[in-house]
Amino acid sequence: MQTAPYSHPLFCFSHRNFGRNVKTSSVKSHALCPSQLDRKCEFNRRPHICKLPIHLKQYRLLVVPNTDDGHPAASIIDDEMNTHDAPNDLPPKFLSNWSPPRYLWRGLSVLILAGQVIMNTLKGRIHWRNTLQQLERVGPKSVGVCLLTSAFVGMAFTIQFVREFTRLGLNRSVGGVLALAFSRELSPVVTAIVVCGRIGSAFAAELGTMQVSEQTDTLRVLGSDPVDYLVTPRVIATSIALPLLTLLCFTLGMASSAILADSVYGVSINIILDSARRALRPWDIISAMIKSQVFGAIISIVSCAWGVTTLGGAKGVGESTTSAVVISLVGIFVADFALSCCFFQGAGDQLKNCV
């Protein structure tokens, strides 16, 4: 193994063996054979000791076998120098080089962001102007696509089961089944999916662009908290607007289903509305509103968290937007299952009033 020569600011060693006396701050060099240094200092072939004054400094000695002449070659390593080739005597610390996966610290950022939003809301630290702007964006500007989607989902659902009910002579149960299906499941979930695709992706793209262009850092420099100014208004607006959109979607879905059942399958609209009135209870509408609020919070918090943790420029913004929508949809379905288990356990008897 070859070793690079080490040059000290004061002298250079070419000997094979040397020692150091810490008390006297000197280095002892033993000459084993004649060399240029021996001839220059007029040494003979017997070992001599040459004392040279040096500064008291911490060094490490590295001895590597030299394949040229078989003698060990010694080199001095300064502890203050950054030498990557020298062995390190200290073992690496536990988890010193470990960094958490990106999905892990992004998931933790969702929890931290949710806690900050809750604390800001309880303390009244709300930017009302931004909240009203986001409320207009989430609510009135999303009504059209939500109502259109709900109407077609209601008509498709009506086609699937109304003809089966009419063959069984259960015409009076059609309205109750429609009302329960729309209030408990279809209206909250369909509305949340539409809002997630339209609003959640926009939140993630906007905050991601602001993050990669360092606009959020500019807000901090100006003394504004990005959570108060950007995240909290979006979460509040989505949590308020989504229950109202769900109520509108429920109304239009029931209307479109009743019109289709009357025109195609001959089930009167009055029968459908009377059956729905008998089957529905106030808790069904309240549970739909609670589900919608939870879905709105999931969409806004996940989208904002993925936006503020964006890295890598334009490509990172696109990846964060796609990932935010996917994670929000998964969170909506998981929360829907959990809330349905909490709200609607046990055997139901609401359709008995419709028969």
Side-chain angles (χ1 to χ4, degrees):
M1 180 183 297
Q2 296 293 332
T3 58
Y6 174 80
S7 297
H8 193 273
L10 298 180
F11 53 88
C12 177
F13 283 106
S14 61
H15 287 73
R16 305 302 183 185
N17 190 12
F18 62 89
R20 178 183 174 186
N21 190 350
V22 179
K23 296 182 179 180
T24 59
S25 301
S26 62
V27 174
K28 299 179 180 180
S29 175
H30 298 273
L32 300 180
C33 60
S35 61
Q36 294 179 0
L37 183 61
D38 296 339
R39 291 192 296 269
K40 185 175 180 180
C41 297
E42 296 181 358
F43 290 161
N44 53 19
R45 293 182 179 271
R46 295 177 298 174
H48 287 269
I49 299 176
C50 178
K51 294 184 178 181
L52 299 176
I54 61 173
H55 297 285
L56 185 59
K57 195 175 183 180
Q58 296 293 330
Y59 295 96
R60 286 185 296 174
L61 177 64
L62 177 62
V63 180
V64 181
N66 195 344
T67 57
D68 295 337
D69 52 2
H71 295 284
S75 59
I76 299 175
I77 299 176
D78 193 351
D79 288 338
E80 297 180 358
M81 297 176 60
N82 186 12
T83 56
H84 299 285
D85 297 333
N88 190 6
D89 296 335
L90 297 177
K93 295 182 180 179
F94 181 68
L95 297 179
S96 59
N97 296 326
W98 181 81
S99 59
R102 191 175 184 185
Y103 66 87
L104 180 60
W105 60 266
R106 270 190 160 179
L108 294 176
S109 68
V110 172
L111 301 178
I112 295 173
L113 203 62
Q116 291 179 344
V117 170
I118 293 174
M119 294 301 297
N120 292 339
T121 304
L122 295 177
K123 292 179 180 179
R125 298 171 57 184
I126 302 172
H127 199 281
W128 291 108
R129 182 178 179 183
N130 284 352
T131 303
L132 294 177
Q133 291 178 353
Q134 298 299 327
L135 187 61
E136 179 186 3
R137 180 184 184 185
V138 178
K141 293 185 179 180
S142 301
V143 170
V145 62
C146 290
L147 294 181
L148 188 63
T149 304
S150 178
F152 281 99
V153 168
M155 290 188 290
F157 184 70
T158 303
I159 292 174
Q160 297 297 326
F161 82 94
V162 169
R163 62 174 186 172
E164 305 296 336
F165 274 44
T166 54
R167 289 179 182 180
L168 296 175
L170 299 175
N171 294 342
R172 291 189 176 274
S173 300
V174 172
V177 173
L178 285 173
L180 293 179
F182 272 100
S183 63
R184 293 181 177 181
E185 187 67 23
L186 289 180
S187 294
V189 174
V190 170
T191 306
I193 291 174
V194 174
V195 172
C196 178
R198 185 182 182 277
I199 302 299
S201 59
F203 286 172
E206 287 179 358
L207 297 184
T209 304
M210 295 180 69
Q211 179 67 24
V212 298
S213 60
E214 300 180 355
Q215 297 183 31
T216 55
D217 297 335
T218 305
L219 289 176
R220 294 187 182 94
V221 172
L222 295 176
S224 299
D225 189 1
V227 177
D228 297 343
Y229 190 78
L230 299 174
V231 180
T232 304
R234 286 171 167 80
V235 176
I236 294 176
T238 309
S239 301
I240 293 175
L242 208 59
L244 301 178
L245 292 175
T246 300
L247 188 60
L248 294 176
C249 290
F250 168 73
T251 304
L252 185 61
M254 283 294 301
S256 62
S257 298
I259 293 173
L260 182 64
D262 186 19
S263 60
V264 177
Y265 299 102
V267 181
S268 175
I269 295 179
N270 294 328
I271 295 176
I272 292 175
L273 295 180
D274 183 68
S275 176
R277 183 183 59 83
R278 292 174 181 271
L280 278 180
R281 293 178 181 176
W283 175 245
D284 296 324
I285 305 299
I286 294 174
S287 64
M289 300 296 103
I290 295 174
K291 278 187 175 183
S292 299
Q293 283 188 334
V294 174
F295 295 162
I298 291 174
I299 292 170
S300 56
I301 291 176
V302 171
S303 300
C304 293
W306 254 246
V308 298
T309 56
T310 301
L311 300 174
K315 182 180 179 180
V317 173
E319 293 177 352
S320 296
T321 303
T322 304
S323 179
V325 173
V326 173
I327 299 299
S328 299
L329 291 176
V330 173
I332 287 170
F333 296 138
V334 173
D336 179 51
F337 170 74
L339 293 176
S340 297
C341 290
C342 295
F343 294 158
F344 309 110
Q345 287 187 352
D349 56 352
Q350 294 181 232
L351 287 178
K352 291 181 180 180
N353 301 325
C354 304
V355 180

